């Protein structure tokens, strides 16, 4: 029986792996693994959702239930790889001054596929649940790349496994 269960688990994991594809993130020198639970939104949707050109992300992904979005902005701001750690220590002060009613704020440096990323997670009051924002920032070809993961707290908790699998697969194409 144990062997049968192992074979079933192996075939299920193989089916999931077969459905995962690595795709380029828009025009960015970045790739990510896409499975059936996360999809990339098309340019028309992005233009409609973000009508201001100066604030429009380069790419947007969302979870299967549409409750968590992950936006990518490759900013013109210069950022050297050696400056990523400084972002994690200095940027929280900026957020404290800009986000009214900030409830929680955590910052650290993490590594994804050999690259340092500043990770800043904050929560702020929302209408029915607290809002959650996670900023992942790194240097990509000498410029700042910002990945913003946004949802409310409960929806993030339901989708966290999908989001973590997605973000842990980010690969620089530099």
């Amino acid at each position: 029986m144990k062997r049968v269960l192992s074979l079933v688990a192996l075939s299920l994991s193989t089916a999931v792996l077969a459905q995962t594809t690595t795709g380029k993130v828009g025009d960015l020198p970045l790739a990510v693994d896409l499975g059936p639970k996360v999809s990339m939104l098309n340019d028309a949707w992005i233009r409609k959702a973000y009508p201001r050109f100066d604030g429009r992300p380069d790419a947007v992904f969302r979870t299967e239930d549409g409750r968590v979005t992950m936006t990518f902005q490759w900013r013109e701001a210069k950022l050297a790889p050696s400056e990523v750690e400084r972002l994690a220590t200095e940027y929280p002060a900026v957020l404290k001054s800009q986000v009214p009613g900030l409830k929680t704020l955590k910052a650290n440096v993490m590594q994804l596929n050999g690259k340092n990323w500043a990770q800043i997670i904050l929560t702020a009051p929302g209408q029915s649940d607290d809002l959650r924002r996670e900023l992942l920032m790194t240097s990509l070809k000498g410029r700042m790349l910002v990945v913003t993961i946004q949802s409310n707290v409960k929806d993030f908790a339901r989708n966290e496994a999908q989001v973590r699998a997605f973000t842990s697969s980010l690969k620089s194409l530099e």
Side-chain angles (χ1 to χ4, degrees):
M1 181 66 160
K2 199 177 215 181
R3 183 179 167 106
V4 170
L5 288 176
S6 295
L7 289 173
V8 168
L10 178 63
S11 64
L12 285 174
S13 65
T14 303
V16 169
L17 287 174
Q19 295 176 359
T20 301
T21 59
T22 299
K24 198 162 180 300
V25 178
D27 293 331
L28 305 176
L30 193 69
V32 67
D33 291 343
L34 287 175
K37 303 283 187 182
V38 175
S39 60
M40 185 173 180
L41 302 176
N42 65 34
D43 289 338
W45 189 97
I46 294 170
R47 281 191 303 277
K48 184 176 180 181
Y50 301 90
R52 288 186 46 193
F53 180 76
D54 62 338
R56 187 176 301 144
D58 296 287
V60 178
F61 295 81
R62 70 176 180 185
T63 54
E64 183 177 43
D65 65 4
R67 300 293 190 154
V68 181
T69 59
M70 293 146 294
T71 62
F72 289 71
Q73 288 183 309
W74 196 25
R75 298 186 178 167
E76 292 295 326
K78 301 293 181 208
L79 181 68
S82 60
E83 297 172 312
V84 171
E85 193 171 323
R86 192 184 81 214
L87 277 175
T89 58
E90 293 179 4
Y91 199 64
V94 172
L95 290 172
K96 284 179 185 177
S97 70
Q98 292 180 344
V99 180
L102 195 61
K103 290 182 125 182
T104 63
L105 181 62
K106 300 174 195 166
N108 70 327
V109 176
M110 60 188 287
Q111 196 166 93
L112 293 173
N113 297 313
K115 238 180 173 3
N116 280 340
W117 292 73
Q119 178 190 43
I120 299 170
I121 302 171
L122 61 96
T123 58
Q127 289 181 344
S128 61
D129 187 16
D130 288 342
L131 301 174
R132 183 188 187 282
R133 300 290 180 264
E134 180 173 345
L135 303 171
L136 298 173
M137 299 177 282
T138 194
S139 173
L140 191 62
K141 289 196 170 188
R143 292 170 47 191
M144 182 187 292
L145 173 68
V146 180
V147 179
T148 305
I149 302 163
Q150 49 198 4
S151 67
N152 67 38
V153 171
K154 289 176 189 164
D155 289 332
F156 180 80
R158 281 193 295 271
N159 288 283
E160 186 171 8
Q162 294 171 41
V163 173
R164 294 293 167 230
F166 176 82
T167 56
S168 67
S169 75
L170 292 171
K171 296 170 202 78
S172 170
L173 300 175
E174 307 186 77

